Structure formats: structure tokens, C-alpha cells
Amino acid sequence: MDTFALVVTIGVALFFTYTNGFHDSANAIATSVSTRALTPRAALAMAAVMNLAGAFMGSGVAKTVSEGVIETPEGSKGMGILFAALVGAIVWNLITWYFGLPSSSSHALFGGMVGAALAGSTTVYWDGVVDKIVIPMFLSPVIGLLAGYLVMTAIMWIFRRANPHKAKRGFRIAQTVSAAGMALGHGLQDAQKTMGIVVMALVIADVEDYGDPIPVWVKIACALMLSAGTYAGGWRIMRTLGRKIIELDPPQGFAAETTGASIMFGSAFLFHAPISTTHVITSSIMGVGATKRVNAVRWGVARNIIMGWFITMPAAAVVAAVSFWIVNLAFL
């Protein structure tokens, strides 16, 4: 196996993680920044550290990515498929980041993997795609919406007799904890997705055997790149999540972050399902906002975001398929 191809593929995988970090940093901290619980720089620094820590908390999601989506392809064609899958995901990440649309980096990656695999005549595990990706893709926003609504309703009832100013001050402090939990969950989910891709590249290159544990250097590299990308910040998307869906106050921010973090931890540890942090926090914000009154949520913005969710996998798949055909013509 060409070592150069392996190095390039791992490099592109780490760059994808970096784009994931600045694309998705908004997920972890937009609510705490918009409620002024944290300054943007402090929030980004905290999110970077917690993303780093979260990356070391498990490997179930990485195993799903490396073994449950497509058959591990072989030889130089296999490396070309992985390269094209990553290009598809990166291109879609950059397009949606440019337009400030909080689409899912995870589903961009999965779309890229499926598109490149189909273009390269490699088996796609459709059962795995449906069970571990498509079903959670539809379920997690519904759960986020309902859970956000219920958590906020409970907070409003528990603190119904509290002094509003004191309560807001308390929730502003509590938000530093809930935002940290959100960032930890993001690291747990999203660093592992790239780990899965790097492990596939190592298996294709015969450096690792199928089913081997994830090398420590892979965990460190993916965690550091996700952290670096997070610290670079995703200001455009932060504006959409923090302000355009609904104006949040500290109790609402706390409720949305607590809901989002709980769903991410549950899906990673219980089901090893690689869900989208973007889907979860966006739907949680909508659920929380709907407790004010249904029309307090700017549903037009929400509709645009949801449309972005639906087109992410097909769009990344098309870019990845075209990328594979180009790579195939030029190098294979």
C-alpha cells in the first residue's frame, strides 16, 4: 500500500475534524454566549478543553463508523473511496458554514461514505445505515424537541415563585456547567467519527487488523484537531443558533443545553449511535422556545435548517461520488 496515500487520507481526515470543530463549536456554546452566561472567547476555550476530554470517553461510535456503514474497501481503490468520502463531507461543511446553516457534519460524513462507496462499487451496509444513522437522524430531533419542552416546563414550575432576577443569575452560572456538558458530549460523539475513518485507513493499509482497538495516537490527533477547530470558532452558525431561532434567556439556555447533552451521552453509551449534535441542540432550542408560546420560535428559520438536514446526506454523497470518479481517473 502506498504510504503517501495513507498519510494524505489521514491528513484529510484530520482536516475534516478541524472543519467539524469550527462548524459545530456553535452547537456547544451558542446558547451560553447568546444569554451572556459566557464571553465568546471563554466559551470557546472551555468548549475546546471539554471536546478534548470527551474524545477519550468511549469508542462505540467509532466502531459503528469503521465497521457498520460500508464494507472496508481494499487496496488503493479503498483509500480513494475514503479520500473521496472525506472530500464530500468537507465541501458540504464549508458550504453550510459559509451560509451560516447549522447542518450536520456527521451526516455529511456518512453521506460522503455512502456516495463514495457506491461510486467505487463497494458494499454499503444499508441495515446499518438505516438503524444507526437514518432512524436516529429522525428520532433525535423529535426527542430533543419534546424533552426540551418538558425540561423547560419543569424548570418554570419549580421556580415559579422564585425572584426572576436571582433565578436568571443562578441559571447563568448553571449554564457554564450545562455548556461544558454539551461540549463534552460533542467531543464524545464527533471526535470518534473521525477516529473510525482513520482506523479504516489503517486497516486498508495493513497497519492495523480489522477489530483492533483504536491506537492512542489516533485518539490524541482527532481530539486535538477537533479542539483546535472548536477554538477557531463558528461565528456565523453561532448567530443562527443563538439568536435567529429564538431569543434565549439563561433558564432556557440551561434547559436546551442540559437536554442536548443528555441525549448525546445516552445515544453514545447506550446505542453507540452517531447522532448529530446539530440536530439535537437545534431541536432542543425549538422545544424550549415553544414553552413561551409557539409563535415565539421563528419557524421560518427552523424550516430552512430542517431542509438543510434533509439534503445534507444526499448532497455530500453526490460530491463524494464525483470526487471518487476524479480520483479514479487521475490516480487509480
Side-chain angles (χ1 to χ4, degrees):
M1 168 54 59
D2 187 353
T3 307
F4 177 71
L6 174 63
V7 171
V8 168
T9 303
I10 291 174
V12 175
L14 293 175
F15 179 66
F16 166 75
T17 310
Y18 182 82
T19 68
N20 187 343
F22 75 68
H23 193 277
D24 288 5
S25 59
N27 300 342
I29 60 174
T31 48
S32 48
V33 171
S34 73
T35 62
R36 297 181 178 81
L38 292 168
T39 64
R41 281 286 157 217
L44 283 167
M46 180 273 294
V49 170
M50 297 309 274
N51 265 317
L52 192 64
F56 291 92
M57 287 179 64
S59 58
V61 170
K63 190 174 173 67
T64 297
V65 172
S66 63
E67 298 174 15
V69 180
I70 63 172
E71 183 180 39
T72 303
E74 295 179 354
S76 56
K77 186 179 95 165
M79 207 61 83
I81 286 171
L82 279 194
F83 177 82
L86 289 161
V87 169
I90 289 167
V91 167
W92 188 249
N93 263 1
L94 294 176
I95 290 169
T96 50
W97 166 80
Y98 181 79
F99 289 105
L101 189 68
S103 72
S104 166
S105 296
S106 311
H107 292 122
L109 178 60
F110 299 135
M113 288 173 75
V114 170
L118 291 173
S121 304
T122 291
T123 303
V124 175
Y125 297 137
W126 292 109
D127 286 352
V129 171
V130 171
D131 293 348
K132 294 288 188 181
I133 298 167
V134 176
I135 290 174
M137 180 171 85
F138 286 102
L139 273 184
S140 56
V142 174
I143 293 168
L145 192 75
L146 292 174
Y149 183 86
L150 293 173
V151 169
M152 191 62 217
T153 303
I155 287 172
M156 285 159 64
W157 189 83
I158 293 165
F159 291 93
R160 66 193 184 283
R161 292 194 178 91
N163 179 302
H165 294 296
K166 277 187 180 175
K168 277 190 180 179
R169 196 159 58 241
F171 275 108
R172 206 165 260 141
I173 295 163
Q175 257 200 286
T176 58
V177 178
S178 59
M182 191 73 207
L184 197 65
H186 182 246
L188 171 68
Q189 279 278 348
D190 284 27
Q192 283 191 53
K193 289 160 192 167
T194 309
M195 289 178 207
I197 294 289
V198 174
V199 165
M200 283 181 86
L202 294 172
V203 169
I204 292 168
D206 288 329
V207 176
E208 290 272 310
D209 289 326
Y210 191 79
D212 279 359
I214 301 167
V216 173
W217 70 265
V218 173
K219 290 188 175 186
I220 292 169
C222 292
L224 286 174
M225 288 303 283
L226 187 68
S227 266
T230 298
Y231 193 69
W235 305 107
R236 291 169 184 268
I237 294 167
M238 209 180 297
R239 215 164 28 241
T240 302
L241 276 181
R243 290 290 168 86
K244 286 187 181 174
I245 296 174
I246 185 170
E247 295 284 344
L248 294 169
D249 60 22
Q252 291 171 328
F254 174 81
E257 287 166 346
T258 303
T259 302
S262 303
I263 294 169
M264 284 194 292
F265 282 112
S267 62
F269 287 125
L270 297 176
F271 307 109
H272 301 161
I275 62 164
S276 165
T277 52
T278 312
H279 291 191
V280 167
I281 190 60
T282 309
S283 57
S284 298
I285 290 171
M286 289 181 205
V288 164
T291 58
K292 269 186 177 177
R293 58 186 190 282
V294 173
N295 63 358
V297 178
R298 297 181 184 116
W299 295 106
V301 175
R303 187 184 63 242
N304 292 343
I305 291 169
I306 290 164
M307 279 174 62
W309 295 353
F310 279 107
I311 62 173
T312 290
M313 278 186 74
V318 169
V319 176
V322 171
S323 301
F324 176 77
W325 289 322
I326 292 169
V327 168
N328 197 33
L329 280 172
F331 301 107
L332 302 180

